[in-house]
């Protein structure tokens, strides 16, 4: 399973990349707004930092305008994936961009049938949001299993990118479903490394090392 980092913060991306945790990056307008910088500048910086797919989201909601924005974003770097919100206009834009060899990621997917439509439009990536579904009392991970089953049933090439990750169990469950990619906030990536028994073990080794004759 590939790990993408879910952030537009270049320092977080650098830190995660130096630890070998970054196969790609996802951004969205909320994450870019937190940087206080221009969208294009942020995306260019990320492209310089990471050798992997980088999702950059369009702001338009009408198909032709999304396609136009998609062209501009795709010009930035070969690794750019144009991120498009789920809607009929969004799928028109996906089909057009895909027919021209431009990679797309459909975001804000909350049902297995939406995911089927995403694949039929020819998207490279489909981003179902597990955390936001859990938040309202539904099972985000059940959605992932259903999408993976549907894509397998029909050999659909669209990859499942598990998004809206809140904690390490989401990452574990995503891996158990066989999802292609999971996009993870930096804080959750750090949580994946730690275990109290590891810390206890290291502390004990240091104590015991003092007893070894010099
Ligand atoms: C990634 O592509 C999504 O934009 C992101 O995972 C959304 O996460 P959130 O639900 O924590 O905002």
């Amino acid at each position: 399973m590939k790990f993408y980092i879910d952030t537009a913060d270049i320092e977080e991306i650098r830190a995660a990349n130096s630890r070998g945790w970054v196969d790609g990056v996802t951004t969205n307008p909320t994450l870019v707004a937190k940087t206080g910088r221009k969208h294009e500048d942020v995306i260019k910086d990320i492209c310089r930092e990471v050798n992997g797919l980088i999702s950059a989201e369009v702001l338009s909601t009408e198909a032709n305008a999304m396609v136009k924005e998609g062209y501009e974003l795709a010009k930035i770097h070969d690794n750019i994936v144009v991120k498009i919100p789920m809607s009929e206009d969004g799928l028109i834009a996906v089909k057009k961009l895909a027919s021209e060899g431009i990679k797309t990621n459909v975001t804000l997917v909350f049902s297995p049938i939406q995911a089927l439509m995403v694949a039929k439009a020819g998207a490279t990536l489909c981003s179902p949001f597990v955390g936001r579904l859990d938040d309202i009392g539904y099972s985000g991970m059940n959605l992932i299993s259903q999408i993976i089953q549907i894509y397998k049933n029909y050999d659909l090439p669209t990859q499942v990118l598990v998004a809206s990750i809140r904690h390490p169990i989401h990452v574990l469950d995503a891996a158990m479903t066989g999802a292609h990619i999971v996009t993870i906030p930096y804080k959750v990536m750090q949580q994946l490394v730690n275990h109290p028994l590891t810390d206890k073990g290291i502390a004990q080794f240091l104590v015991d090392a003092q007893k070894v004759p010099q």
Side-chain angles (χ1 to χ4, degrees), residues 36-56:
R37 302 177 59 218
K38 279 190 183 166
H39 188 207
E40 193 178 327
D41 294 346
V42 171
I43 298 298
K44 279 183 178 166
D45 279 359
I46 297 174
C47 289
R48 275 190 280 270
E49 225 39 69
V50 172
N51 184 19
L53 295 186
I54 293 148
S55 288

Side-chain angles (χ1 to χ4, degrees), residues 90-105:
L91 296 186
I92 294 169
V94 166
K95 188 162 168 54
K96 171 81 176 147
L97 292 168
S99 74
E100 296 176 30
I102 295 174
K103 294 179 277 298
T104 56
N105 171 7

Side-chain angles (χ1 to χ4, degrees), residues 44-112:
K44 279 183 178 166
D45 279 359
I46 297 174
C47 289
R48 275 190 280 270
E49 225 39 69
V50 172
N51 184 19
L53 295 186
I54 293 148
S55 288
E57 190 158 338
V58 300
L59 297 177
S60 309
T61 52
E62 187 276 321
N64 289 327
M66 285 191 217
V67 170
K68 208 170 150 218
E69 262 192 80
Y71 289 151
E72 291 307 311
L73 291 169
K75 262 192 230 157
I76 295 175
H77 198 283
D78 280 352
N79 284 343
I80 290 292
V81 180
V82 180
K83 197 173 180 190
I84 295 184
M86 179 68 199
S87 67
E88 284 190 43
D89 275 72
L91 296 186
I92 294 169
V94 166
K95 188 162 168 54
K96 171 81 176 147
L97 292 168
S99 74
E100 296 176 30
I102 295 174
K103 294 179 277 298
T104 56
N105 171 7
V106 179
T107 188
L108 293 165
V109 169
F110 292 97
S111 86

Side-chain angles (χ1 to χ4, degrees), residues 6 26 28 83 129 132 163-164 166 183:
D6 197 20
T26 50
N28 64 35
K83 197 173 180 190
F129 278 35
R132 291 192 198 186
S164 188
R166 301 271 195 264
T183 188

Side-chain angles (χ1 to χ4, degrees), residues 114-127:
Q114 283 183 317
L116 177 56
M117 304 317 281
V118 167
K120 287 189 82 68
T124 317
L125 306 173
C126 172
S127 292

